[in-house]
């Protein structure tokens, strides 16, 4: 058992490090070496890829909230969560942690910070108000003004700022709105839906979090093992 646990620990750290490194390397390349051409499909491919990696940063921070980014190593696990949350638009991990566990304890109720009884757009703006603070916006504004001194402004907007916005939308739509909207039967203890089995789409859309009932049922599984429960 100890060997198995250590192996899981190593793999979790490796997955987290891979997302972090890929996000950083691609961002550096796109800011320093890529010439934006709005007529080129490659520009939009890079935009979507960077958005996906931004989403991966937050999913990694989410895994840390469940103690599975580096299981058995609480200090490293917290460090991974703190760094990846900060890189995703200056989110503060100690603020996110209790809110996320409150979501799991009181899912789809008035005590759930992720839930809003209403249509899509009011729910989305309610979600943003729960997780975006004035100091995040201030830090983003300062960072943007610093970055544009050194890199082309269109690169900063397309590959640093816009992917964070799109990733927020991606996380909300696939990880909150679709799974928790509507009424759920009484025999659904997690008040969560799930998408049909399609591992490729589940990964591309939101790192398997379309399998959302499965996540609430087994929150101890990291994202990269979640598909096994489907």
């Amino acid at each position: 058992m100890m060997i198995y646990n250590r192996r899981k620990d190593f793999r979790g750290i490796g997955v987290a490090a891979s997302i972090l490194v890929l996000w950083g390397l691609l961002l550096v390349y796109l800011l320093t070496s890529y010439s934006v051409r709005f007529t080129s499909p490659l520009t939009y491919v890079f935009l979507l890829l960077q958005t996906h990696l931004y989403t991966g940063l937050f999913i990694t921070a989410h895994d840390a909230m469940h103690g599975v980014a580096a299981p058995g190593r609480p200090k490293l696990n917290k460090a991974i969560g703190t760094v990846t949350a900060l890189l995703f638009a200056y989110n503060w991990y100690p603020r996110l942690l209790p809110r996320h566990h409150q979501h799991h304890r009181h899912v789809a109720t008035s005590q759930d910070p992720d839930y809003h009884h209403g249509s899509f757009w009011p729910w989305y703006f309610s979600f943003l108000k729960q997780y975006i603070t004035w100091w995040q916006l201030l830090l983003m504004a300062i960072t943007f003004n610093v970055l544009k001194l050194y890199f082309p402004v269109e690169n900063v907007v397309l590959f640093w700022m816009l992917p964070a916005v799109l990733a927020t939308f991606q996380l909300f739509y696939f990880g909150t709105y679709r799974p928790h909207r509507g009424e759920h039967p009484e025999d659904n203890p997690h008040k969560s839906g799930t998408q049909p089995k399609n591992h490729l789409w589940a990964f591309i859309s939101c790192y398997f979090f379309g399998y959302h009932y499965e996540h609430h049922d087994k929150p101890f599984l990291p994202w990269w093992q979640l598909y096994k429960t489907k």
Side-chain angles (χ1 to χ4, degrees):
M1 179 63 69
M2 288 298 293
I3 294 175
Y4 175 70
N5 283 341
R6 286 177 182 174
R7 180 171 178 266
K8 285 178 65 178
D9 185 32
F10 174 79
R11 290 167 66 191
I13 296 168
V15 169
S18 297
I19 291 174
L20 187 58
V21 170
L22 286 172
W23 173 85
L25 289 177
L26 183 59
L27 180 61
V28 169
Y29 167 73
L30 292 173
L31 290 181
T32 62
S33 304
Y34 183 73
S35 298
V36 172
R37 297 183 301 278
F38 290 101
T39 58
S40 170
L42 192 58
T43 295
Y44 304 99
V45 170
F46 279 138
L47 170 62
L48 292 175
L49 182 56
Q50 192 66 359
T51 297
H52 189 65
L53 290 170
Y54 256 106
T55 300
L57 289 178
F58 194 88
I59 293 296
T60 301
H62 168 271
D63 268 8
M65 295 175 206
H66 289 284
V68 296
R73 301 184 182 183
K75 291 183 178 180
L76 179 58
N77 185 81
K78 183 179 179 181
I80 291 172
T82 301
V83 169
T84 51
L86 278 172
L87 291 174
F88 190 100
Y90 294 107
N91 279 282
W92 183 232
Y93 180 80
R95 182 175 181 270
L96 297 176
L97 181 61
R99 288 169 178 260
H100 185 66
H101 285 286
Q102 186 177 348
H103 163 66
H104 274 265
R105 288 193 302 269
H106 305 288
V107 61
T109 69
S110 59
Q111 295 176 283
D112 180 356
D114 291 2
Y115 185 73
H116 179 79
H117 187 71
S119 58
F120 177 83
W121 288 110
W123 191 341
Y124 180 57
F125 289 118
S126 173
F127 180 83
L128 292 180
K129 286 191 294 183
Q130 286 290 334
Y131 289 99
I132 296 179
T133 62
W134 67 266
W135 62 264
Q136 283 178 261
L137 297 175
L138 177 61
L139 288 172
M140 289 287 284
I142 293 172
T143 304
F144 172 77
N145 281 283
V146 171
L147 288 175
K148 73 177 186 178
L149 295 176
Y150 300 97
F151 309 111
V153 66
E154 61 268 24
N155 294 59
V156 176
V157 171
L158 281 174
F159 303 125
W160 178 75
M161 188 169 67
L162 186 56
V165 176
L166 294 176
T168 301
F169 189 87
Q170 182 180 1
L171 287 160
F172 169 74
Y173 183 74
F174 292 105
T176 298
Y177 176 73
R178 282 184 63 87
H180 296 302
R181 64 180 175 174
E183 299 296 327
H184 297 285
E186 292 183 2
D187 62 351
N188 184 329
H190 306 303
K191 299 180 182 177
S192 304
T194 187
Q195 72 171 64
K197 184 178 179 179
N198 185 326
H199 294 336
L200 178 61
W201 174 242
F203 169 71
I204 292 172
S205 60
C206 200
Y207 292 78
F208 301 119
F209 272 86
Y211 299 153
H212 208 75
Y213 179 93
E214 291 79 3
H215 165 60
H216 277 264
D217 196 51
K218 294 180 173 61
F220 52 84
L221 287 179
W223 71 263
W224 44 274
Q225 289 195 343
L226 191 56
Y227 75 96
K228 295 179 181 179
T229 69
K230 189 65 180 175

